[in-house]
Amino acid sequence: HQGWVLALSWSACGKFLASGDSQGVIIIWSKDGEKRCTFAGHKKYICSLSWQPTLENPALASSSKDGTCRIWSVARETQEACMSHMDSVSSVKFMQDKVITSSHDKTVKIWSLNGQLLRTLKLHSHWVNSMSTNMDFHDRIMNVEELSKKISRPSTLQIASCSDDNTIGLFKESTDDNLRLVGHQGVVNQVMFSPNGKYLASASFDKAVKIWDTETGKFLGNLRGHVGQVLQLAWSADSKHLISASKDATAKLWSIASMKLRSDLPGHLDEVYCVDWSPLGDYAATGGKDQKVLMYSF
């Protein structure tokens, strides 16, 4: 890469890693670290990457500050579709039969795989910073047989979004119900469903992490301990623990049962921007402003 690496995504088949940078370039890597191909259609930095949940010839979706989401065929090394928002596309989720995007134009949009707009959700009065679905984890573990058998895929799609308006939107496709979750005192930067689908975690610039019930939208508890803005979250596969990454240069491990801090994850010398937990739960990784990626075993 010739620019900052801002987004990473492993394919469900485990064969490919996609990385996107500040110059709008996407590189596809094989699992042994060799460059497979490069996509350079975006005109501004990459915000988010998401693989099609299939084990054979997966496509890749990318979102960008340039206001577009693009679908790429890795097998053919071509762009297959382009979808547009009126502003930066902050996140993208590639599902079995649709693509979901969120944007600074205050909307969440649902698209067909050929780029046709199916639905627009207006849940916020300000930028939508991130979006998550209750099927995200299941799309990642389709090649992990022991987990796929233990955790069944939800029958109803739920979408959660978060915004600079300090709120969270929760949408259930089967009923068309929209809930607005209020309680944060600052920008909500990320939301993430737990693998079991029962909880929604939110990270905010108010230095708190909040846990919500996904069925009712009821507030369940605060995870407090950070002294800086909380930027990202990652759930353990068993939904019993959560890791938060913060501008205070720390990552923290929380117990959901007690709603208390279990331990600090030391090592970073500056702001911690991103975190991910492996599907099997045996290790987690964090990345930060200190240009380091740190791995922790559990």
Side-chain angles (χ1 to χ4, degrees), residues 8 10 232-234 243-245 251 265 268 272-278 282-288 292-298:
L8 292 169
W10 277 103
Q232 280 202 3
L233 304 165
I243 295 176
S244 55
L265 303 180
H268 282 289
V272 187
Y273 289 146
C274 53
V275 57
D276 197 16
W277 207 320
S278 65
D282 50 353
Y283 60 90
T286 56
K292 293 180 180 180
V293 174
L294 303 181
M295 296 184 69
Y296 305 88
S297 60
F298 295 96

Side-chain angles (χ1 to χ4, degrees), residues 1-2 4-5 7-9 17-29 35-51 60-64 66 68-72 74 79 92:
H1 282 285
Q2 300 300 310
W4 302 340
V5 180
L8 292 169
S9 181
L17 176 68
S19 54
D21 68 24
S22 56
Q23 296 186 354
V25 174
I26 300 163
I27 298 178
I28 309 299
W29 310 86
K35 186 185 293 187
R36 169 74 181 260
C37 61
T38 299
F39 298 124
H42 286 292
K43 295 178 174 59
K44 293 184 179 180
Y45 67 77
I46 305 299
C47 298
S48 177
L49 298 167
S50 179
W51 287 93
L60 178 75
S62 59
S63 72
S64 169
D66 67 10
T68 68
C69 171
R70 299 170 190 261
I71 299 178
W72 312 89
V74 175
Q79 178 179 302
V92 58

